[in-house]
Amino acid sequence: MLLAYVGPETMYPVASVLAAVVGVVMMFGRNVVSFGRGMMERVTPRARRR
């Protein structure tokens, strides 16, 4: 099994999962980041400058 064949057709599932993750990040990335920032600001309030 050390010399098992790793060709393009064996990497298709990996590429498919990677493409799905990148697609979700591209669709919802900005919303997820802004949601995370809002949660962090609620959890750790900073001193507000005037």
Side-chain angles (χ1 to χ4, degrees):
M1 281 294 149
L2 183 61
L3 299 175
Y5 174 71
V6 179
E9 65 274 2
T10 60
M11 299 306 283
Y12 285 150
V14 176
S16 179
V17 168
L18 184 62
V21 169
V22 169
V24 169
V25 168
M26 287 175 68
M27 287 191 299
F28 301 111
R30 189 177 352 169
N31 294 333
V32 171
V33 169
S34 66
F35 178 75
R37 284 183 183 162
M39 284 292 148
M40 287 303 294
E41 288 177 3
R42 288 182 185 173
V43 172
T44 57
R46 294 181 281 186
R48 295 187 181 171
R49 298 178 185 171
R50 291 183 180 190

